[in-house]
Amino acid sequence: MSVTLLYVEDDREIGSAVSADLREREYAVRWLESGEGAVEAAAGCQLAVLDVMLPGLDGFTVGQRLKRAYPGLPILMLSARASIDDKLQGLEFADDYLTKPFHPDELAARIEVLLRRTGAAEPSPLVLKHLIVYEGNNVIQEAATGREILLTGKQFQIFTYLLRHLGQILTKEQIYEAVWGEAYMEGDKTLMVHIRYLREKLELDPAAPEIIETVRGIGYRVRA
Amino acid sequence: MRRTGQLRKLQSSLLTRYLLIIIVALLFIPVVLPLSLAGYDMYNSWAGEKPPEEYALYSNIAGLEEMWHKEALELHGQIPEAISSRLQKLGRSYPLARMFWVDGQGKTRLTLTPDDPRMREELSTGMIPPQWSAAEAIAFMKESAKQDPLAIVAFVGDEMDAGEGFMVMQIPAVVTKAYQFKSVGSRYVIVLLVFFALFVAVSWLFFIGIRKRLLRLQTAMSFTGGAGIPQPIASGRADEIGRLEEAFNSMVAELSASRQREMEEEGLRKRLVSDLSHDLRTPLTVIRSHLHVLGKEALSQRGQESLQLMDVRIDSLSGLIENLLSYNLLSSGRMTLKLEQKDVLRVLRESAAAWYPLWEKEGFEAAVDLEAEPLYWVIDESWFRRILDNLFQNIVRHAHDGQYVGVRADVREGKRVIVISDHGKGMDSASESKGAGLGLSIVDLLLKRMELEWRMDSSPQGTSIVIGQAPERNLNKI
């Protein structure tokens, strides 16, 4: 079963080109030219891509209505307006934001990340070097032996947070605040200690980590 | 109508009210004092001891004097016996008084003493000589001046020249004083003090009321709400302070109206900018999607390269649009920055994290050294990110040859700064993608708005940009 996307775009040229591209990437696309009926059309969709400037109802209003009707539906906003206020307003309810002119590959990549993050896509096991991660079941296995790796609560939370932002570099403040839910204090070694233990469990050689990469001076990253 | 309005104004005036208090205070002396005395006397006559009834005959001293002089006049030219018998008759009418008369030769003819032994006792002080000398007469008059006993003296015939002597009526002080005011007692002083205290209290209340309202006004003026405009205050009475409050309220209303207009203008400009942005970006998006379709066709190597170049140009065009519109917003001064205290090292780290994949892809060596205590500056985070984006963008575009980007926290001249450096050929070298420097103009505008200063050192070995807090403005400097 393919993933169905709701796509609202009033510009026909862009709309047909993007729909065609997404269909080529094996998504089912429901393209609407205005926000009218978007809530009804979103039934059964796994993700919505909305243009901000629409005739009649604007993209922000449509997005807010969609979020109310389907709180779990990830929403990606596309905008040709790039002022910072727009970005903030959009991100209040939207899950991601892309500015025109976007590259079709980037749109596809963002859609994929969002689907993975919300678990809307078919949970395919994620292969990371020597590990297989079954995200839906919260299981991490060593590919060669099939041995399950057990993590503590905090280690698991850190690892999941990194996986949800696959390929993205996350600063120590971002990770700490997402996992512990409180403001990071400069000089706090808690996160470093947890990452060291996490690496001891996950990495083949904890001294030369391959799964959780340190980006010097910035933070950590798990690459796809 | 106007007159009634003026009258009402006058009635509600603070001046009128204060004048009223002053007038009441002035009335204190001619009205309140006698009133309080009368009140005190009434209280005394009601609550105090009443004098015996027979004393009432002697309460009107002026009347007694008149009566005595009338009698004296009537006795003019009478023989001594007739005078004595008249006095005896009078003595029966005024049994509490002592009466005597002295003839023209200074001889005391008749002395009538009261029957009441107490009265006799009271009158025993002044002895009456049988034969009067001048010295004795003066001594008697001197004694009488004390009014104890009260002596009413009249010449027989009511004139000295008649030479028929004089007649005297003495009334004991205990009888005459019974109807006089008793000396002002301590209770009366208390009543007076209470009145005075009341006056002070009313004045104090009057001024405390004014003071309170003035203070409230001052608080309202100095306390500004979230929009930086004081809140209007509830207007009270229609006096001078009330009118001041009204004036203040209308000033606040005008201020917020002008602030509103300013915000509307800002909103309009923002709308215009976003609409322009939309109109410029939409065709770019269409072009890009067509390029993408084209890229999937079978093309020669040159064709593919050409497509890629177009793609890169679309990106820079989009960046240019963004900068152009931002510059328009910023330079108009219509843009409000949300200034907050933020850890810039953290913002820098997050921005570097976002740029890192591109640096990696382009083969840059990224030297990020931000390990330091948090560095708090007052910035607008979104626009600060834009500054960093512009600087990093410049490095990727114009300093590609250096293959290096340095981001670090440093201390220069005793001040903590952030330094962004590259190993490019410097700003003076011609770069393929050199523009009008709009990006740096925006950086300059934004940093100034955040009260930060920056310095750029560019040499053929590289460029480094140092951002620090502007020195505190010295007002004494010309």
Side-chain angles (χ1 to χ4, degrees), chain B residues 188-245:
Chain B
Y188 181 70
V189 174
I190 290 173
V191 170
L192 257 186
L193 278 179
V194 165
F195 269 101
F196 184 71
L198 265 177
F199 170 65
V200 170
V202 166
S203 297
W204 188 71
L205 280 177
F206 178 77
F207 280 106
I208 209 88
I210 292 178
R211 203 185 98 90
K212 224 160 116 185
R213 290 168 67 202
L214 285 176
L215 278 181
R216 193 170 68 111
L217 199 61
Q218 189 219 354
T219 315
M221 278 176 179
S222 50
F223 186 78
T224 52
I229 297 175
Q231 295 292 311
I233 53 173
S235 54
R237 280 174 244 167
D239 52 22
E240 284 88 339
I241 296 181
R243 287 201 289 283
L244 187 64
E245 285 168 348

Side-chain angles (χ1 to χ4, degrees), chain A residues 173-188:
Chain A
E173 293 102 332
Q174 285 171 325
I175 302 172
Y176 187 87
E177 281 162 21
V179 172
W180 275 268
E182 53 193 71
Y184 174 79
M185 299 288 288
E186 188 58 44
D188 191 341

Side-chain angles (χ1 to χ4, degrees), chain B residues 92-237:
Chain B
R92 278 194 292 280
S93 303
Y94 298 93
L96 298 182
R98 176 163 72 175
M99 290 175 192
F100 62 87
W101 82 278
V102 177
D103 65 13
Q105 282 72 48
K107 186 178 169 207
T108 304
R109 287 297 186 110
L110 175 75
T111 304
L112 298 169
T113 46
D115 297 334
D116 191 328
R118 213 179 111 222
M119 295 301 148
R120 261 214 301 275
E121 176 80 15
E122 288 278 332
L123 293 164
S124 65
T125 47
M127 291 311 292
I128 302 160
Q131 181 64 46
W132 293 68
S133 67
E136 270 161 337
I138 286 169
F140 174 77
M141 289 316 286
K142 266 191 87 142
E143 195 61 30
S144 298
K146 290 183 196 160
Q147 296 207 351
D148 186 18
L150 177 80
I152 303 171
V153 181
F155 292 104
V156 178
D158 205 21
E159 55 185 302
M160 198 183 81
D161 301 342
E164 292 173 275
F166 59 93
M167 50 195 258
V168 178
M169 180 186 193
Q170 283 182 306
I171 305 159
V174 68
V175 177
T176 52
K177 295 266 168 70
Y179 280 89
Q180 275 181 6
F181 285 119
K182 286 180 184 147
S183 68
V184 175
S186 61
R187 272 185 280 180
Y188 181 70
V189 174
I190 290 173
V191 170
L192 257 186
L193 278 179
V194 165
F195 269 101
F196 184 71
L198 265 177
F199 170 65
V200 170
V202 166
S203 297
W204 188 71
L205 280 177
F206 178 77
F207 280 106
I208 209 88
I210 292 178
R211 203 185 98 90
K212 224 160 116 185
R213 290 168 67 202
L214 285 176
L215 278 181
R216 193 170 68 111
L217 199 61
Q218 189 219 354
T219 315
M221 278 176 179
S222 50
F223 186 78
T224 52
I229 297 175
Q231 295 292 311
I233 53 173
S235 54
R237 280 174 244 167

